[in-house]
Amino acid sequence: MLGKINKISIIACLTLIITACTSSVRFTSKTEKSANDYNNLRVQTGIASFYSDEFHNKITYSGEVYDMNSVSAAHPFFPMGTLVRVTNLANKKSIVLKINDRMPYRPDRIIDLSLGAARVLGFVEEGLAEVKVEVLEWGKGKK
């Protein structure tokens, strides 16, 4: 009887060892997505402008306080919280940012950026830039 128990124990231990040595699926979680992790949901090209002093520290359409030195954007109809990649077509600089306000009110502009975003994209001196706007993730905020 004792020999039988030892054989079962040895087989059980070997099975555990062999199972533990085989490859298994590793699960990881991402806390942030890089811009390349998103599928483009919509693309627009057109003219971007930026807004700063007049709206600094005022409440945006989303309810956030506007900080002209941060990176954010205003769009005429994208839901609040929508994540977009904006690329300056003249110099190929791009930035990923969140829609938190409504504007521009001019039909010849597709997006208004914060001063901080315009700095990153390199068009503060010009005031306007031809850009590509790619929706990366739709926001769930108010429309």
Side-chain angles (χ1 to χ4, degrees):
M1 183 73 162
L2 190 58
K4 213 176 207 181
I5 293 175
N6 282 339
K7 285 181 185 177
I8 293 172
S9 297
I10 291 171
I11 291 171
C13 286
L14 287 174
T15 303
L16 285 172
I17 290 170
I18 292 169
T19 305
C21 292
T22 61
S23 64
S24 61
V25 177
R26 305 260 188 246
F27 293 97
T28 60
S29 65
K30 285 186 176 181
T31 54
E32 283 185 34
K33 292 182 178 181
S34 74
N36 294 328
D37 291 338
Y38 298 101
N39 292 322
N40 294 339
L41 303 173
R42 182 178 184 147
V43 177
Q44 290 182 302
T45 56
I47 302 298
S49 55
F50 69 90
Y51 60 118
S52 57
D53 298 339
E54 182 181 347
F55 298 98
H56 186 62
N57 286 328
K58 299 222 171 129
I59 301 297
T60 63
Y61 185 78
S62 69
E64 298 173 12
V65 175
Y66 174 67
D67 178 359
M68 68 183 194
N69 296 304
S70 70
V71 291
S72 63
H75 193 275
F77 55 85
F78 288 170
M80 296 297 105
T82 295
L83 211 56
V84 295
R85 179 187 301 120
V86 180
T87 304
N88 182 337
L89 296 176
N91 61 19
K92 304 302 183 219
K93 292 181 179 181
S94 69
I95 186 171
V96 174
L97 42 78
K98 181 176 69 169
I99 302 295
N100 72 347
D101 209 354
R102 277 288 166 250
M103 286 196 286
Y105 299 119
R106 297 180 52 140
D108 59 334
R109 313 260 171 88
I110 63 167
I111 196 165
D112 271 345
L113 304 173
S114 63
L115 175 61
R119 282 186 185 127
V120 171
L121 294 175
F123 73 91
V124 173
E125 294 299 317
E126 296 84 0
L128 301 172
E130 187 172 359
V131 298
K132 176 170 67 170
V133 177
E134 301 166 273
V135 173
L136 303 175
E137 185 175 286
W138 290 112
K140 299 189 184 346
K142 60 184 176 178
K143 296 186 179 188

